[in-house]
Amino acid sequence: QEKAPEQARLGKVEFKVECNAAAQQAFNRGMALYHSFAWKPAGDTFAAVAKADPGCGMAHWGQAMVVLDNPFLWPGSLLPAKLNEIAAALDAARSAGLKSEREKGYVEAVATFVRDHDKVDHRTRLNAYDAAMAKLADAHPNDKEASILSALVTSANFDPADKTYAN
């Protein structure tokens, strides 16, 4: 079973969400766990955020991010069932409530990646996700998490056959 890193070793994450104070604190921990690739504890933490504040749609976005798993394992780790689970979590985020354009931007960026996954190839969806995250980061230049997550997607969005390493 995956064990959560000690709090002192997680570092400090400040990812502002429009949720109550207890949910905000837990959300920050969930993102610290996410950045530490501690998927199970991060997922459990985002589930606790949703319970602490049922109107915190970003808790469900966090769960979607955990299901997305390690972007450096894509596309092999993203089976259709996982993509459907991510889409369902994003629907839950919208239903619970997204209280700012920024929060909506996070959800819609991931949605570009899972939308029509049964019809649109991985590379096309990944390029759309990469562009959506870059747009989100550009729109919120003071949002460190947007920049970090955008860079993560960009670094996972490479063509192994491209020896120019353009991306």
Side-chain angles (χ1 to χ4, degrees), residues 18 22 51 68 92 149:
E18 303 296 326
K51 285 185 181 165
L68 263 172
L149 294 170

Tab-separated table of all heavy atoms in Angstrom, residues 18 22 51 68 92 149:
chain	number	residue	atom	x	y	z
A	18	GLU	N	-11.732	28.087	-4.178
A	18	GLU	CA	-12.861	28.790	-3.559
A	18	GLU	C	-13.670	27.799	-2.718
A	18	GLU	O	-14.783	27.423	-3.072
A	18	GLU	CB	-13.737	29.422	-4.646
A	18	GLU	CG	-12.992	30.381	-5.561
A	18	GLU	CD	-12.462	31.603	-4.828
A	18	GLU	OE1	-13.117	32.076	-3.887
A	18	GLU	OE2	-11.381	32.065	-5.216
A	22	ALA	N	-11.120	24.694	5.982
A	22	ALA	CA	-10.651	23.321	6.209
A	22	ALA	C	-10.386	22.627	4.882
A	22	ALA	O	-9.386	21.917	4.728
A	22	ALA	CB	-11.674	22.539	7.034
A	51	LYS	N	-15.752	16.034	1.099
A	51	LYS	CA	-16.620	15.852	2.261
A	51	LYS	C	-16.597	17.091	3.152
A	51	LYS	O	-17.616	17.483	3.707
A	51	LYS	CB	-16.201	14.622	3.060
A	51	LYS	CG	-16.602	13.336	2.394
A	51	LYS	CD	-16.287	12.130	3.239
A	51	LYS	CE	-16.708	10.886	2.471
A	51	LYS	NZ	-16.158	9.667	3.008
A	68	LEU	N	-5.518	10.660	-13.633
A	68	LEU	CA	-4.640	10.886	-14.789
A	68	LEU	C	-3.285	10.225	-14.586
A	68	LEU	O	-2.623	9.864	-15.551
A	68	LEU	CB	-4.421	12.383	-15.019
A	68	LEU	CG	-5.290	13.056	-16.043
A	68	LEU	CD1	-5.079	14.565	-16.008
A	68	LEU	CD2	-5.067	12.526	-17.427
A	92	ALA	N	-18.488	15.839	-11.953
A	92	ALA	CA	-18.772	16.047	-10.525
A	92	ALA	C	-18.247	17.413	-10.071
A	92	ALA	O	-18.882	18.088	-9.259
A	92	ALA	CB	-18.163	14.924	-9.691
A	149	LEU	N	1.853	22.926	-13.584
A	149	LEU	CA	1.083	21.881	-14.265
A	149	LEU	C	1.178	22.015	-15.780
A	149	LEU	O	1.228	21.022	-16.495
A	149	LEU	CB	-0.361	21.882	-13.777
A	149	LEU	CG	-0.526	21.485	-12.310
A	149	LEU	CD1	-1.946	21.739	-11.842
A	149	LEU	CD2	-0.132	20.032	-12.080
